[in-house]
Amino acid sequence: MRFVELIVFKARLLILVLLAVFTAVMGYFAFELRMEAGFLKQVPTKHEYVQTFLRYQDEVPGANIILVAVKAREGTIWNAAFLKRLAEVTEEVTFLPGVRRTTVHSLWSTTTRVTENTEEGINSYPVVPRNVTANSITDADAAIIRDRALNGGHKGFLISNDQTAALIIAELQELDPITDQKLDYLDLADRLEAQVRDKFEDSHTQIEIIGFAKFIGDIADGASSVAIFFALAFVLTTCAVYIYIRSIQLTFLAVFCSLVSVVWQFGLLHLMDRSLDPLAVLVPFLVYAIGVSHGVQQINMIATGISAGQSSYEAARTTFSRLLIPGSLALITDLVGFGTLYLIPIEVIQDLAIMASLGVALKIVTNLIMLPLIASYLPHDPAFGERYLKWKRKPESVMRFVGRVAKPRNAIVVLIIFVLLLGLSINETRHRNIGDMTAGFSELWPDARYNLDVEDIVTRFSISADALIVVVETPADGCIDYKTMKLVDRFSWEMRNVDGVNSVRSLPTSVRETAAIWREGNLKWVGLPQSEQELIQMTSPYDPSSGLLNETCTVLPVVIYMNDHKAKSIETVIAAVKHFAATDKEALARKDVTFRLAMGGIGIMAATNDVIAENEFPMLFWVYIAIISLVLLAYRDWRAVICCCMPLLLATFLGYWFMTALDIGLKVSTLPVLVLATGIGVDYAFYIYSRMKLLRAEGMSVGEAYATALQQIGVAVVVTGLTLAVGVSTWAFSGLKLQADMGLLLSFMFLVNMIAAIFFLPAFAVTLDKLFPQGRPMR
């Protein structure tokens, strides 16, 4: 350390000049960083459900759809003015970028047909007469369209059950087939708002839009307010640091160095050709928070040195040599912990892992090297030392009182409290949920426009964006084989009776109705024809654009529309599908028929929930393995592992308990924040234990070492925890519920980790010293 210190401070001017140039360059590139989102980035592409989606996405309408409901504010939709507006919206949606035009369905689509049994025979024709256009439609035409639409069985699907709204369904494609460019979801979301809602919504018509593209757009819009709350948190943390350190120069130094690393992070991300996902907008603040945490420790030691009579240069060198190792250890532990997020095979989480790890790695330079180097040039202020010492007397007296926790009798009481809290939190953790806990999207407030649109569409229609599509693979021409159709029909009926299912569409259920039409609408004939010739006749009105079969009849999708996408609802319907495939005698006997999960939005969510559930504890296991390994490497004492990791373990399970109490499910957007907060929490323990180790080397007992360490750095630890907690607590007022929930979670985790390190670490240290007085450090 003496050698490193000598080299660094001898070349301090050169190092600072190089860092200044690097900051300027990274600042330029940081402004080029853009926010982008992608559908496939949010899903585990290796999961079997997603593999099914990727395999059949060109044959079966998949999960990436948008639903646009055009709703009459008064009366029904059966008038010329409304149907003209519906035609205009349909055309606008059809030509939006990314829309697969052959999949657009509305009353005005030529594929929307009605089959009738008339005196002239069986007729099948479009719902909208061919001679009717949007500009020529009359109320008489509207009456004809009404009769055809209702006779064609489109009520509940393209027409709301109360006939006050009509639906437009469109599927999106990730890549433009002409330009081969990725779909810009944020641009599409803006277009949906500007070219559809703003353009066509008026006093007579209401427009409702749901689907991933609109959802991620609303998240991005809400995330834009992150800058406001970031600025507010920045002001609060700056004020708190100044109140503690009583020096404008040192306060500026702590927050400036923390911000510089964020600038470097953004610049490097752009050079790495990466973008900022709307669901990862909290990561930069977490990186900043880590910087503030370490910055406070640095300026605390610098201020202590100055108040003891050292010059700024001497105090900076002392701080550099004493805090480089514990600070680096804490940051490397954070880095390795964040890196374990990469184990989750979801691209957006892997990108987040890279972003967080990069930001933490940069902290080693900005906070542990650059900060003390800049501090060495600060002008000497004799009055500052007296002012700082005078202010610290009261907090240090409090710390002396808290230091009594290191007495053996008090330590036992504290450990009993630890065991009780750990037991309760582990028990409550069993009730945690993977996925959404509410009917709407938990990232948005219940009264957000998107969630209100979802609720209204689900209420009025028999379908929604929350659909599970089971791909039934059959032999060729399975749609004209009675046994195959009967099996799929029975499966459709079983799914219709599952809790949480709104409706079910499949080729057999549609053919049942067609069969009755062929027999003059007699309800006695609502059933599956048994002969191949009849099945050919009954399935002829349905082509692949209906989404109920493919060109060769080797795929018969069963579309299960759900009331919501709550974790429990998803688990129930997935379990029902698996139970049928595993227990139905005919399904088991038919080796040539496979019920393959799963497409649709529910299928993608189920896959994501599975991956998070599978990787949650293995990921935390590797986080703790990394922390334990680094603690052993640094301190070479098994007791250090217990002292540093047990408080962190309690904080982790308390975090789970907190999420369960607030109905926050583990999702792509929430699990990384919990892991990141866990990684940050170990920093407090490292600083306290490192100082205790130095004091023990001077001959102090464990109790004396802890009491002295707490007086030296305890105030800094408390100030850091409170500062960060207060800063992120302002997020509770965000217009984005994800940000509000994560603000509360982070505030809780910052405080719990701080309290656990101050009270439980010394209790374990004292107890272990009593139990193993002859224990020697590992060599």
Side-chain angles (χ1 to χ4, degrees):
M1 275 307 306
R2 291 194 189 96
F3 176 75
V4 173
E5 176 191 337
L6 178 65
I7 295 298
V8 169
F9 275 82
K10 193 171 184 179
R12 57 178 176 153
L13 182 59
L14 175 61
I15 293 174
L16 288 176
V17 169
L18 292 175
L19 292 178
V21 173
F22 185 72
T23 301
V25 174
M26 289 301 103
Y28 172 79
F29 288 115
F31 281 104
E32 301 296 320
L33 186 67
R34 295 290 178 264
M35 188 178 291
E36 292 181 3
F39 176 74
L40 291 180
K41 286 178 63 177
Q42 315 292 325
V43 302
T45 53
K46 301 299 183 182
H47 193 278
E48 60 175 314
Y49 298 172
V50 183
Q51 287 294 305
T52 300
F53 163 73
L54 295 174
R55 178 177 177 181
Y56 290 108
Q57 61 180 330
D58 293 329
E59 298 182 72
V60 180
N64 198 6
I65 63 173
I66 54 173
L67 302 182
V68 180
V70 184
K71 178 182 171 184
R73 295 187 185 273
E74 295 181 2
T76 68
I77 66 174
W78 307 119
N79 58 79
F82 179 90
L83 291 176
K84 179 181 179 181
R85 179 55 54 91
L86 178 63
E88 294 169 344
V89 177
T90 301
E91 183 177 5
E92 193 70 45
V93 170
T94 301
F95 291 98
L96 285 172
V99 170
R100 197 188 299 267
R101 295 172 188 173
T102 56
T103 66
V104 177
H105 291 288
S106 85
L107 287 178
W108 284 89
S109 303
T110 56
T111 54
T112 305
R113 307 179 70 83
V114 56
T115 301
E116 293 181 332
N117 191 339
T118 68
E119 295 85 350
E120 301 172 357
I122 299 297
N123 289 330
S124 180
Y125 38 77
V127 167
V128 178
R130 298 185 186 279
N131 63 337
V132 175
T133 65
N135 293 324
S136 67
I137 190 170
T138 64
D139 286 338
D141 294 328
I144 295 174
I145 294 172
R146 177 196 61 204
D147 294 340
R148 290 185 176 186
L150 296 178
N151 290 338
H154 299 294
K155 184 178 177 182
F157 178 56
L158 294 177
I159 307 163
S160 65
N161 291 308
D162 59 3
Q163 302 180 47
T164 60
L167 201 61
I168 302 165
I169 306 172
E171 186 178 2
L172 302 177
Q173 45 194 354
E174 191 81 3
L175 293 176
D176 189 304
I178 299 175
T179 64
D180 201 35
Q181 295 293 316
K182 282 188 176 182
L183 174 61
D184 187 338
Y185 283 92
L186 303 186
D187 175 68
L188 177 59
D190 290 340
R191 289 174 183 266
L192 284 168
E193 200 65 35
Q195 297 176 212
V196 179
R197 199 195 305 270
D198 293 346
K199 184 177 180 180
F200 296 108
E201 191 170 66
D202 54 28
S203 59
H204 303 290
T205 308
Q206 181 176 330
I207 304 294
E208 299 172 342
I209 309 171
I210 62 175
F212 172 78
K214 190 68 184 72
F215 163 72
I216 203 67
D218 286 359
I219 291 290
D221 289 342
S224 62
S225 67
V226 131
I228 298 173
F229 288 96
F230 186 95
L232 181 58
F234 172 77
V235 171
L236 290 174
T237 53
T238 302
C239 292
V241 172
Y242 174 75
I243 292 172
Y244 167 64
I245 210 67
R246 302 302 173 96
S247 168
I248 295 177
Q249 295 171 331
L250 290 178
T251 299
F252 172 79
L253 196 55
V255 297
F256 171 75
C257 292
S258 299
L259 285 175
V260 165
S261 65
V262 177
V263 173
W264 292 4
Q265 181 188 29
F266 282 179
L268 289 173
L269 285 173
H270 175 71
L271 291 177
M272 294 166 64
D273 197 27
R274 293 184 177 274
S275 56
L276 185 63
D277 192 276
L279 294 177
V281 293
L282 300 181
V283 174
F285 181 81
L286 287 175
V287 171
Y288 169 75
I290 293 172
V292 171
S293 174
H294 290 273
V296 168
Q297 295 294 334
Q298 296 274 333
I299 63 175
N300 172 64
M301 182 163 284
I302 292 171
T304 301
I306 293 174
S307 62
Q310 291 182 327
S311 66
S312 298
Y313 177 77
E314 292 169 338
R317 289 192 64 161
T318 301
T319 299
F320 175 83
S321 61
R322 287 192 177 182
L323 294 187
L324 182 62
I325 289 179
S328 298
L329 176 63
L331 288 171
I332 292 172
T333 304
D334 293 342
L335 190 153
V336 174
F338 300 163
T340 59
L341 284 171
Y342 202 85
L343 297 174
I344 299 180
I346 299 176
E347 186 179 349
V348 67
I349 295 183
Q350 292 176 337
D351 286 349
L352 189 149
I354 293 173
M355 185 189 309
S357 299
L358 176 64
V360 170
L362 295 174
K363 291 294 177 191
I364 297 176
V365 179
T366 58
N367 287 79
L368 303 184
I369 298 176
M370 187 173 77
L371 190 153
L373 289 182
I374 297 176
S376 68
Y377 284 101
L378 293 179
H380 182 64
D381 180 8
F384 165 71
E386 296 179 10
R387 189 169 63 246
Y388 180 68
L389 281 177
K390 182 179 179 181
W391 181 87
K392 280 192 69 177
R393 288 194 185 102
K394 288 186 178 179
E396 284 181 353
S397 64
V398 175
M399 291 297 105
R400 280 195 295 272
F401 177 78
V402 174
R404 295 179 182 177
V405 73
K407 293 184 177 181
R409 185 175 298 177
N410 295 336
I412 293 174
V413 175
V414 171
L415 288 181
I416 292 173
I417 295 173
F418 174 89
V419 172
L420 291 175
L421 286 175
L422 184 62
L424 285 172
S425 58
I426 291 175
N427 180 65
E428 291 299 323
T429 297
R430 295 187 301 108
H431 305 300
R432 75 193 187 287
N433 284 276
I434 310 291
D436 273 316
M437 303 288 293
T438 57
F441 282 86
S442 58
E443 291 82 356
L444 303 170
W445 291 106
D447 60 350
R449 179 66 186 268
Y450 186 90
N451 279 337
L452 294 177
D453 286 354
V454 169
E455 182 181 3
D456 195 58
I457 289 175
V458 170
T459 301
R460 294 178 184 277
F461 293 85
S462 298
I463 69 170
S464 70
D466 293 329
L468 173 68
I469 302 176
V470 180
V471 179
V472 184
E473 298 172 333
T474 70
D477 296 328
C479 57
I480 57 175
D481 177 69
Y482 173 70
K483 290 184 177 180
T484 301
M485 290 285 280
K486 182 183 178 183
L487 176 61
V488 177
D489 184 51
R490 189 168 67 257
F491 173 71
S492 301
W493 172 254
E494 291 286 347
M495 294 304 104
R496 180 64 187 89
N497 289 280
V498 174
D499 288 340
V501 172
N502 189 323
S503 62
V504 177
R505 290 184 70 239
S506 65
L507 185 62
T509 58
S510 300
V511 164
R512 280 174 158 275
E513 299 171 1
T514 305
I517 293 173
W518 277 81
R519 293 168 176 81
E520 299 181 355
N522 193 323
L523 295 179
K524 292 182 179 180
W525 293 97
V526 176
L528 278 175
Q530 297 189 22
S531 70
E532 181 178 300
Q533 199 65 34
E534 284 184 299
L535 282 171
I536 292 174
Q537 192 177 50
M538 301 306 167
T539 57
S540 59
Y542 303 96
D543 58 31
S545 66
S546 66
L548 300 178
L549 72 167
N550 65 349
E551 292 284 355
T552 57
C553 273
T554 56
V555 172
L556 300 179
V558 177
V559 186
I560 305 168
Y561 293 105
M562 305 291 294
N563 291 324
D564 55 59
H565 57 263
K566 292 179 182 178
K568 184 64 176 177
S569 301
I570 294 176
E571 291 174 9
T572 300
V573 71
I574 293 293
V577 173
K578 291 180 177 180
H579 178 76
F580 180 89
T583 60
D584 185 84
K585 293 182 179 179
E586 189 175 347
L588 292 172
R590 294 291 302 271
K591 302 300 182 183
D592 55 350
V593 176
T594 304
F595 292 86
R596 186 180 294 279
L597 287 165
M599 299 181 69
I602 295 294
I604 298 300
M605 291 180 191
T608 304
N609 293 348
D610 278 355
V611 167
I612 289 178
E614 290 171 5
N615 288 276
E616 174 196 1
F617 282 113
M619 181 184 62
L620 286 174
F621 171 79
W622 287 113
V623 168
Y624 277 92
I625 287 295
I627 293 173
I628 290 170
S629 301
L630 288 168
V631 172
L632 282 174
L633 181 65
Y635 301 120
R636 302 183 184 183
D637 189 343
W638 61 270
R639 293 168 296 185
V641 173
I642 296 176
C643 292
C644 293
C645 294
M646 292 307 288
L648 184 63
L649 182 68
L650 174 62
T652 300
F653 281 105
L654 286 174
Y656 275 115
W657 187 1
F658 184 81
M659 292 181 68
T660 303
L662 291 189
D663 284 340
I664 302 174
L666 286 172
K667 297 178 61 178
V668 169
S669 55
T670 58
L671 179 61
V673 175
L674 180 64
V675 175
L676 294 175
T678 300
I680 294 172
V682 77
D683 295 354
Y684 303 119
F686 281 146
Y687 278 113
I688 293 175
Y689 196 85
S690 294
R691 186 59 56 89
M692 288 177 62
K693 190 170 183 292
L694 288 173
L695 295 171
R696 287 296 308 278
E698 295 176 4
M700 292 187 183
S701 67
V702 173
E704 293 170 341
Y706 174 71
T708 306
L710 205 59
Q711 290 179 54
Q712 292 179 356
I713 64 170
V715 178
V717 169
V718 172
V719 167
T720 300
L722 291 176
T723 298
L724 298 180
V726 171
V728 297
S729 66
T730 60
W731 296 357
F733 303 100
S734 172
L736 194 62
K737 189 173 184 294
L738 167 65
Q739 188 179 350
D741 287 344
M742 293 305 97
L744 293 174
L745 175 61
L746 286 172
S747 294
F748 178 79
M749 292 296 288
F750 286 146
L751 291 175
V752 165
N753 276 299
M754 180 262 291
I755 294 170
I758 288 177
F759 287 96
F760 298 125
L761 185 153
F764 277 105
V766 170
T767 304
L768 290 173
D769 186 63
K770 288 292 182 182
L771 293 175
F772 305 98
Q774 302 302 320
R776 294 181 179 179
M778 295 171 60
R779 297 297 181 187

